[in-house]
Amino acid sequence: GMKRGKKAEEAAAEGENDTASAPSKKAKAAKEPEGPILYDDPPDKTTSKDGRNANMKITSWNVDGLRAWVKKKGLDWVREEDPDILCLQETKCAEKALPAEITSMPEYPHKYWAASGDKEGYSGVAMLCKTEPIKVTYGIGKEEHDKEGRVITAEFPSFYLVTAYVPNASRGLVRLDYRKTWDVDFRAYLSELDMQKPLVLCGDLNVAHQEIDLKNPKGNKKNAGFTPEEREGFSQLLAAGFVDSFRELYPEQTNAYTFWTYMMNARSKNVGWRLDYFVLSSSLLPGLCDSKIRNKAMGSDHCPITLHIAV
């Protein structure tokens, strides 16, 4: 029936369409584990290394089009997760076109939107807060970067929260040079903030940092998101005094991804990339409780991530 046909088709896509004439291939296939290796997000830890209880829960999600995501019941998941702050990327929606379901959400009385100036339905980020920030700013103070609606910064009493949708180097790496400029300028912006107050950076940073951060590192060295230049950009950010919270807590964890292409059943096979991060100022590390990958939440080609922290 249908099911078997699909299995055979998937096997062919994986290059394991064994025929009797390829015994060596058959032997190799036999060793492979049954089914995809999924990442099971462990139970949330809400106590920090220094024994404090988490008092801030932040969720970040690249929704790949806010209107479609709302229709796919993304907000039901948000209400269940119930973070103190919700950051969204790739909203692809002008402020006047935002659905009432989200603009009228009583749980988050303080809502901030940044949309692309030139191209409507492109890029865009949002931040929804239960408590009002001291101050909110948009962009990173450089005109060449600030017309695409990629960054919102909120100041809170003890830290800054920055949410970002980092420019994709794009197919054929046509924007890699621009991305390298962005990485330098964005790092300078974050370092300057960090001199005033420690910060949490969250969002789609459009890079898998190390080979452990994507399923197929060998085949992607020349593709957007895993070029040496982009990886080096992220390394330099960490060298400037920041920490990748997930990797800090789970240094050896494989198969933990936040993005899967819609093509080739990538998500059900867990052929993915970790592109979404909570990056912290080193000084916030003692208060880090947990960094979660909510990979069962559907509604986008990315899944949400959640940070528990004592600040």
Side-chain angles (χ1 to χ4, degrees):
M2 274 304 294
K3 265 203 179 114
R4 217 168 92 209
K6 193 152 192 301
K7 276 270 185 289
E9 190 185 297
E10 281 190 14
E14 291 289 336
E16 287 168 20
N17 197 357
D18 322 310
T19 55
S21 65
S24 63
K25 214 172 188 184
K26 190 158 219 156
K28 182 177 176 289
K31 278 201 208 85
E32 302 219 346
E34 277 299 299
I37 306 169
L38 304 175
Y39 169 61
D40 207 12
D41 198 34
D44 294 24
K45 294 195 286 280
T46 53
T47 312
S48 66
K49 275 183 214 166
D50 62 9
R52 286 179 288 159
N53 289 329
N55 60 357
M56 183 62 72
K57 180 179 185 179
I58 304 169
T59 291
S60 177
W61 198 349
N62 175 324
V63 293
D64 186 38
L66 183 110
R67 286 167 286 191
W69 171 80
V70 166
K71 287 195 183 99
K72 292 177 200 166
K73 302 280 180 269
L75 289 174
D76 289 355
W77 185 90
V78 168
R79 278 185 276 263
E80 205 171 306
E81 181 78 351
D82 194 32
D84 299 304
I85 304 170
L86 173 67
C87 296
L88 305 175
Q89 302 85 37
E90 220 177 337
T91 53
K92 298 180 175 175
C93 188
E95 200 164 334
K96 61 177 188 289
L98 290 165
E101 291 98 315
I102 194 162
T103 56
S104 64
M105 263 186 109
E107 295 92 335
Y108 299 98
H110 311 284
K111 303 178 184 73
Y112 308 93
W113 313 93
S116 176
D118 304 349
K119 298 183 249 184
E120 209 166 296
Y122 171 78
S123 187
V125 291
M127 190 184 289
L128 284 70
C129 309
K130 288 187 176 181
T131 57
E132 191 173 8
I134 296 165
K135 187 181 174 199
V136 174
T137 56
Y138 300 89
I140 64 171
K142 277 203 172 245
E143 202 187 337
E144 60 180 302
H145 301 311
D146 290 350
K147 49 185 186 285
E148 291 183 356
R150 294 187 175 276
V151 180
I152 298 175
T153 302
E155 182 183 352
F156 291 96
S158 56
F159 72 108
Y160 287 105
L161 176 61
V162 181
T163 192
Y165 174 47
V166 168
N168 194 313
S170 303
R171 192 181 292 277
L173 304 180
V174 294
R175 282 197 108 184
L176 182 59
D177 283 340
Y178 172 63
R179 167 65 177 271
K180 284 155 72 176
T181 311
W182 162 280
D183 281 350
V184 171
D185 293 342
F186 190 44
R187 185 170 72 245
Y189 171 75
L190 295 171
S191 292
E192 204 162 297
L193 279 184
D194 186 48
M195 286 190 246
Q196 300 158 60
K197 267 182 197 181
L199 65 86
V200 173
L201 162 66
C202 69
D204 176 359
L205 304 188
N206 255 319
V207 61
H209 185 213
Q210 306 288 11
E211 298 207 346
I212 194 174
D213 296 314
L214 73 168
K215 184 68 169 188
N216 178 13
K218 305 258 180 306
N220 280 299
K221 291 196 154 78
K222 292 189 172 114
N223 288 336
F226 198 60
T227 61
E229 292 92 334
E230 292 164 292
R231 296 172 64 192
E232 177 59 25
F234 192 83
S235 294
Q236 289 185 356
L237 177 61
L238 300 186
F242 300 98
V243 179
D244 171 356
S245 64
F246 180 83
R247 234 358 120 211
E248 183 68 25
L249 294 170
Y250 306 102
E252 307 295 319
Q253 181 61 59
T254 54
N255 303 299
Y257 309 126
T258 66
F259 164 82
W260 307 261
T261 175
Y262 282 128
M263 297 176 288
M264 302 173 295
N265 291 315
R267 190 156 183 178
S268 61
K269 294 182 201 165
N270 199 28
V271 176
W273 303 56
R274 190 169 69 96
L275 299 178
D276 301 86
Y277 297 80
F278 284 103
V279 171
L280 316 178
S281 294
S282 304
S283 62
L284 292 177
L285 200 50
L288 172 61
C289 300
D290 212 347
S291 193
K292 315 308 295 169
I293 294 178
R294 306 297 201 203
N295 60 355
K296 295 188 178 59
M298 306 304 282
S300 170
D301 51 2
H302 292 248
C303 74
I305 56 174
T306 290
L307 179 74
H308 292 288
I309 191 167
V311 282

